[in-house]
Amino acid sequence: MRRRFRQISDLAVLWAGHRAVPVTLIAFIALWTAVGLSLSFPRQWFLLTNMLGTLIIFFILLLLQHSQNRDMMALHAKLDELIRSSKAGNHWIAAEKKDADAIEGMRQQHHGQITESAN
């Protein structure tokens, strides 16, 4: 089930991120509005399409967030492995899980080390 969701999510993100999608959607909305006004669709019809459009956008945003979170987790795992295999201090591993003050302290310490080694 999880694998299937990932496949659907990746396909939806790939589709939603294509450069032709916004142009196609704007053309479709303009056509839909023109047809609706010329045929005098009732007000409820426009409310229904507005609600469906909002739900679709919300769903696509959730899929994009899911994909971005998965990509960031993979990126952090790769960076952690690079830190582990290099001469860098292991205190940088999983820095993203620390609070903002701790990260700023680590950054300041690193900046101080760079300044000392340059002198």
Side-chain angles (χ1 to χ4, degrees):
M1 180 68 178
R2 209 175 219 173
R3 191 179 80 119
R4 184 75 174 145
F5 176 75
R6 188 178 326 134
Q7 289 173 340
I8 291 170
S9 174
D10 289 344
L11 183 63
V13 168
L14 183 65
W15 176 81
H18 194 274
R19 64 178 175 226
V21 171
V23 174
T24 305
L25 289 177
I26 290 171
F28 178 74
I29 290 169
L31 179 66
W32 185 260
T33 303
V35 169
L37 292 174
S38 67
L39 297 177
S40 300
F41 284 150
R43 180 174 285 151
Q44 290 83 4
W45 184 258
F46 283 111
L47 291 174
L48 176 67
T49 56
N50 186 16
M51 181 189 68
L52 289 175
T54 302
L55 288 174
I56 290 170
I57 289 171
F58 182 68
F59 183 68
I60 289 175
L61 285 175
L62 288 176
L63 290 175
L64 289 170
Q65 186 65 42
H66 170 76
S67 176
Q68 184 179 17
N69 287 344
R70 193 179 68 239
D71 290 347
M72 287 304 292
M73 286 174 46
L75 181 64
H76 285 295
K78 291 174 184 178
L79 287 173
D80 288 348
E81 183 57 31
L82 285 173
I83 292 169
R84 235 186 314 277
S85 65
S86 72
K87 294 179 183 178
N90 285 341
H91 64 280
W92 287 103
I93 293 177
E96 71 278 359
K97 294 179 183 174
K98 297 179 180 179
D99 62 5
D101 292 334
I103 294 172
E104 182 61 25
M106 291 170 63
R107 193 182 71 75
Q108 291 295 334
Q109 178 186 6
H110 181 67
H111 184 68
Q113 290 172 355
I114 291 173
T115 306
E116 289 174 8
S117 65
N119 290 330

